[in-house]
Amino acid sequence: MKGHYPSRAMLAGIDLGGTQVRVALARSDGHLVASIKTKTAMLATPQAMVDWAAGEIDRHRGREKVRSITIAAPGPIDIRRGVLVNPPNLPWQNVPLVAMMGRATGAKVQLANDADMAGLGEFHHGAGRGSRNMVYITWSTGVGGGLIIDGKLHRGAHGTAGEIGHMIIDPNGPLDNCGQRGCLEAFISDTAAELFAAAAAGDRQARSVVERAARYMGIALISLTNALDPEIFVMGGGVSRSWALVYPTMIETLRSSPFIKPARRPRLRRARLGDRAGQVGAVEWARINQ
């Protein structure tokens, strides 16, 4: 028909965090065309979040239909049922987000772990570009991660590549909240932003604590290298803003392993996408699963 052009379907990624909710719209090839965010506290209920996100998607899609949506959410999540189970940074429990968003938008919706999606974003559009085997680590108050094997996101039965923060570094170490002794998180979870700021300002005690935490993270990198043999580690989260404080100790510790020869030693890079990584990865997952 003269003057008629078929509409192109679009994609959307939603990054649901304890502080902010971000929505990104993209063309079917994954190219971002719009990005919107709001404070999570402004959306008091799951339904309010769904209504806001669906409204923003509708406002920015133009005449094009949104075919596929991924919601990146903090665990634990039930991927098979599309349910947000009991996130530590949100007062929501057993929320059927996939069904709710599907009703609000008419799109195909999938739920995914936020660390996995941040890792996917860094792999395709950030510090991991050009690699095939990558481990993404997010280090903030806790430690999470995502795993890319042969160019594909690997997810375990509960939707994540595994709980990197609960890797045992020292079985005689301190008791962690998870019930195990000597977890990585038990050694490094007290390295909050204030501590990094004090270390950067020259506080010797704070610097000592930060260096010790970085050494434990380096030990974890050795174990991950021996188990997974990645080409590259990409590290994001709050600690990436204090990269100069932690990178030298982490890389020195990684290089100290006599078993990991230089030829197979992975690179260690700071994440590039910052707070955008989750929404970028969510769009990518929507593209893969459209």
Side-chain angles (χ1 to χ4, degrees), residues 99-118:
M100 292 169 68
M101 191 63 69
R103 283 195 300 268
T105 62
K108 176 183 178 182
V109 182
Q110 48 269 325
L111 186 61
N113 177 269
D114 55 359
D116 278 344
M117 294 301 98

Side-chain angles (χ1 to χ4, degrees), residues 179-192:
Q180 297 183 132
R181 285 198 172 273
C183 289
L184 178 61
E185 276 194 7
F187 286 109
I188 71 173
S189 61
D190 62 347
T191 48

